[in-house]
């Protein structure tokens, strides 16, 4: 997808929403005064998109489609001598690429002009020191790029090379030349090996995040599960007989058999998890199943343990194993013998990024709750965080989700559950492996059950 040939709204990836918010502030330094660049497409972002559209004579809908994004791109030119929050963002982005100026002060002086010249030089752009559409587009492309591999060049490669030289996990010293050649690939492989990451020599979302966060790496699976248990979400060991019973129900369920279309199951995995209200109705058994001779397919579902009812299940079809290949997820909801189907299609790279962002969101939420001495009661990948304290419900610095409905999927819980199943049954968990597909499917169907608990909290 070309960077401006898209439709950005509340359902978009965080990186695209952040790009839009930066553009709004670049175009008008007074934009987004309350939340700024937070990656959440809330009322403030909608309002400022609408204001831009109205000023430019565009259709006013508060949503950033191709026409709005194109007009933003055309109209933004940051020049030496200007000041404001937009210049601060430019300076922060230059520092991200290890291009240093005198200060992040919102003043486009000689240092910032030279920094822009350096960025343009490193990325084969016209070197004029002005941050116009072409320069800012290249910067946005690099800031939203999730996979960097052999053959890539430019400022993002330079950043990775600098980080490799600075990290302590592996003994690495390479030239910072902006060329992702064999030496950089080998250095990434060494770093991945020492950091217990999947070793492929490609700087994908997880490798990039760990490089970015040497002092605050992601929770291990055990640490994540421990934190979730503190919030009331627990994983229980059911007896083999109980789990075998649910495997049999799943295998022979008429709707599952219809979806299988004559195929046979290979392995059927099962585990039990309990949602936080402690009632028997929210004890669920999760099933994940492989299909014989079709490694691209996975079928997953959840049962209420007490009623043994299967209300929702999902079918995941991986169209390939490359970052830009698609994964189709169909979610089936069974209600009084009527089955409704919802289909979404994601790229492998976006699945990996979504799962990673859910983990990051959870860790940030925990830290925020501790700083405020509030109790974290629930979280969502795109919807924000709810904090509960003696002063009541607070959503400060996150999207207002008091009116939340059943659309929320507990992505982090799904991620931990997928890792839990993978660890238990010895599944391969490469960056595009079975865990990403399992966890996405579980996150999608898990929201159905979790919602009955969530609605009761408000």
């Amino acid at each position: 997808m070309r960077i401006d040939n898209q439709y950005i709204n509340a359902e978009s990836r965080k990186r695209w929403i952040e790009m839009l918010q930066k553009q709004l502030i670049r175009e008008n330094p007074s934009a987004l005064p309350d939340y700024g660049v937070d990656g959440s497409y809330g009322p403030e972002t909608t309002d400022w998109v609408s204001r831009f559209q109205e000023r430019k004579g565009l259709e006013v809908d508060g949503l950033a489609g191709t026409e709005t994004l194109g007009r933003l791109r055309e109209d933004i030119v940051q020049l030496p001598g200007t000041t404001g929050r937009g210049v601060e963002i430019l300076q922060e982005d230059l520092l991200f690429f290890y291009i240093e100026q005198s200060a992040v002060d919102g003043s486009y002086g000689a240092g910032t002009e030279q920094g822009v010249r350096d960025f343009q030089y490193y990325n084969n752009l016209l070197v004029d020191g002005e941050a116009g559409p072409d320069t800012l587009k290249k910067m946005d492309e690099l800031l939203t790029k999730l996979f960097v591999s052999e053959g890539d060049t430019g400022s993002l490669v330079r950043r990775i090379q600098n980080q490799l030289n600075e990290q302590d996990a592996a003994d690495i010293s390479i030239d910072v030349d902006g060329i992702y050649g064999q030496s950089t690939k080998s250095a990434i492989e060494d770093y991945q090996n020492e950091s217990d990451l999947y070793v492929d020599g490609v700087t994908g979302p997880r490798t990039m995040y760990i490089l970015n966060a040497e002092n605050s790496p992601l929770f291990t699976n055990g640490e994540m599960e421990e934190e979730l248990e503190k919030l009331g979400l627990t994983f229980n060991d059911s007896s083999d007989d109980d789990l075998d019973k649910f495997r049999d129900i799943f295998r022979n369920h008429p709707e599952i058999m219809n979806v299988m279309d004559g195929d046979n199951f290979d392995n059927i995995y099962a585990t039990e998890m309990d949602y936080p209200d402690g009632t028997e109705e929210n004890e669920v058994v999760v099933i994940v199943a492989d299909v014989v001779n079709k490694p691209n397919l996975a079928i997953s579902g959840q049962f209420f343990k007490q009623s043994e009812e299967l209300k929702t299940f999902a079918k995941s079809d991986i169209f390939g194993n490359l970052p830009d290949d698609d994964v189709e997820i169909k979610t089936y909801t069974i209600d009084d013998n009527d089955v409704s189907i919802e289909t979404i299609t994601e790229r492998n790279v976006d699945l990996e990024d979504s799962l990673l962002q859910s983990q990051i969101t959870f860790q940030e939420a925990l830290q925020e709750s501790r700083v405020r001495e509030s109790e974290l009661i629930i979280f969502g990948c795109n919807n924000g965080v709810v904090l509960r304290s003696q002063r009541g419900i607070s959503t400060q610095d996150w999207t207002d989700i008091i009116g939340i409905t059943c659309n929320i999927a507990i992505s982090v819980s799904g991620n931990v559950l997928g890792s839990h199943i993978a660890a238990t049954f010895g599944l391969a968990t490469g960056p595009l492996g079975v865990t990403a597909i399992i966890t996405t499917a579980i996150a999608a169907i898990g929201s159905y059950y979790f919602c009955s608990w969530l609605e009761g909290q408000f």
Side-chain angles (χ1 to χ4, degrees):
M1 178 189 295
R2 289 185 299 174
I3 191 167
D4 294 327
N5 186 25
Q6 57 180 304
Y7 186 82
I8 302 177
N9 58 19
E11 303 302 317
S12 299
R13 299 294 178 189
K14 182 178 180 181
R15 64 184 184 277
W16 299 122
I17 297 174
E18 288 179 343
M19 182 192 76
L20 169 65
Q21 291 169 331
K22 286 183 178 182
Q23 289 177 315
L24 290 169
I25 295 172
R26 287 167 178 161
E27 196 274 335
N28 181 353
S30 299
L32 307 174
D34 295 329
Y35 292 97
V37 182
D38 64 355
S40 177
Y41 206 116
E44 184 176 56
T45 299
T46 302
D47 177 47
W48 283 93
V49 170
S50 297
R51 294 190 194 193
F52 175 79
Q53 291 169 329
E54 186 173 8
R55 281 194 289 113
K56 302 299 179 180
L58 305 174
E59 179 185 356
V60 180
D61 59 7
L63 304 173
T66 302
E67 188 176 14
T68 298
L69 291 173
R71 188 59 187 272
L72 269 170
R73 185 74 68 196
E74 292 172 5
D75 285 6
I76 299 171
V77 179
Q78 294 180 297
L79 300 173
T82 57
T83 60
R85 176 58 183 145
V87 177
E88 285 186 12
I89 289 174
L90 172 64
Q91 293 169 330
E92 290 166 356
D93 288 345
L94 289 171
L95 285 173
F96 177 86
F97 292 114
Y98 282 71
I99 298 173
E100 297 184 1
Q101 307 86 201
S102 56
V104 177
D105 57 6
S107 179
Y108 202 135
T112 301
E113 182 178 357
Q114 184 59 50
V116 171
R117 287 179 176 275
D118 291 344
F119 179 84
Q120 292 167 332
Y121 174 76
Y122 293 143
N123 295 283
N124 296 316
L125 301 169
L126 174 66
V127 179
D128 60 5
E130 297 180 0
D134 290 343
T135 297
L136 294 175
K137 183 175 183 179
K138 172 57 69 173
M139 192 170 288
D140 287 341
E141 286 175 344
L142 297 180
L143 289 168
T144 55
K145 189 176 178 69
L146 294 180
F147 276 80
V148 190
S149 58
E150 192 171 12
D152 286 332
T153 61
S155 289
L156 188 54
V157 176
R158 291 178 62 89
R159 172 179 169 80
I160 292 167
Q161 291 169 331
N162 273 295
Q163 289 178 308
L164 287 168
N165 286 336
E166 292 177 354
Q167 53 75 40
D168 296 323
D171 184 13
I172 293 172
S173 177
I174 59 174
D175 291 336
V176 179
D177 58 7
I179 301 171
Y180 204 120
Q182 184 58 49
S183 62
T184 300
K185 179 182 178 182
S186 297
I188 284 292
E189 290 173 345
D190 291 343
Y191 177 75
Q192 290 170 330
N193 184 60
E194 294 298 326
S195 302
D196 296 324
L197 297 166
Y198 182 77
V199 179
D200 59 1
V202 175
T203 307
R206 190 164 296 269
T207 300
M208 203 176 298
Y209 176 76
I210 299 299
L211 272 172
N212 292 344
E214 278 294 311
N215 297 319
S216 57
L218 295 171
F219 285 145
T220 64
N221 293 338
E223 290 169 338
M224 183 77 83
E225 189 168 329
E226 181 180 343
E227 294 294 341
L228 286 172
E229 287 180 348
K230 291 177 184 177
L231 299 178
L233 181 66
T234 57
F235 302 88
N236 295 325
D237 294 326
S238 297
S239 69
D240 289 342
D241 288 343
D242 278 347
L243 295 181
D244 283 344
K245 176 178 64 177
F246 284 101
R247 290 188 183 98
D248 287 339
I249 297 173
F250 188 79
R251 181 185 292 108
N252 297 305
H253 195 285
E255 297 298 340
I256 299 291
M257 294 175 68
N258 183 51
V259 167
M260 290 295 289
D261 194 27
D263 288 325
N264 296 313
F265 285 122
D266 190 356
N267 299 305
I268 302 180
Y269 312 112
T271 192
E272 180 187 340
M273 61 187 295
D274 296 343
Y275 287 114
D277 70 348
T279 64
E280 291 183 348
E281 288 78 6
N282 280 327
E283 295 177 355
V284 299
V285 172
V286 179
I287 300 288
V288 179
D290 300 329
V291 180
V292 173
N293 295 326
K294 291 189 176 180
N296 59 306
L297 291 181
I299 314 292
S300 55
Q302 285 182 325
F303 290 89
F304 286 120
K305 186 177 180 183
Q306 297 301 315
S307 66
E308 300 180 1
E309 287 183 283
L310 177 67
K311 290 288 188 181
T312 308
F313 63 97
K315 177 181 179 181
S316 305
D317 191 350
I318 313 169
F319 298 156
N321 59 3
L322 298 176
D324 286 335
D325 288 334
D326 288 334
V327 177
E328 181 182 81
I329 302 170
K330 288 186 177 181
T331 303
Y332 301 77
T333 302
I334 306 170
D335 186 18
D336 297 329
N337 297 320
D338 183 33
V339 180
S340 59
I341 305 173
E342 179 181 354
T343 301
I344 63 170
T345 301
E346 295 278 13
R347 294 189 308 162
N348 274 322
V349 61
D350 285 327
L351 287 182
E352 176 71 7
D353 182 51
S354 177
L355 295 171
L356 179 62
Q357 287 298 327
S358 69
Q359 290 177 282
I360 295 170
T361 297
F362 181 46
Q363 292 189 201
E364 291 176 347
L366 279 177
Q367 179 62 29
E368 188 72 18
S369 67
R370 289 164 182 162
V371 168
R372 296 185 184 179
E373 297 182 348
S374 300
E375 180 185 3
L376 181 67
I377 57 171
I378 190 56
F379 50 88
C381 183
N382 294 320
N383 298 77
V385 178
V386 178
L387 304 174
R388 183 174 63 193
S389 67
Q390 293 180 343
R391 295 183 297 277
I393 299 293
S394 169
T395 55
Q396 185 177 354
D397 296 328
W398 279 276
T399 307
D400 183 3
I401 57 170
I402 295 300
I404 196 168
T405 63
C406 283
N407 317 5
I408 187 173
I410 48 170
S411 302
V412 174
S413 299
N415 184 55
V416 172
L417 182 58
S419 299
H420 178 80
I421 293 173
T424 301
F425 298 103
L427 301 177
T429 57
L432 303 177
V434 68
T435 300
I437 308 307
I438 291 173
T439 54
T440 302
I442 290 173
I445 63 179
S447 60
Y448 177 87
Y449 298 98
F450 186 76
C451 218
S452 61
W453 173 82
L454 181 63
E455 288 177 331
Q457 305 304 304
F458 295 105

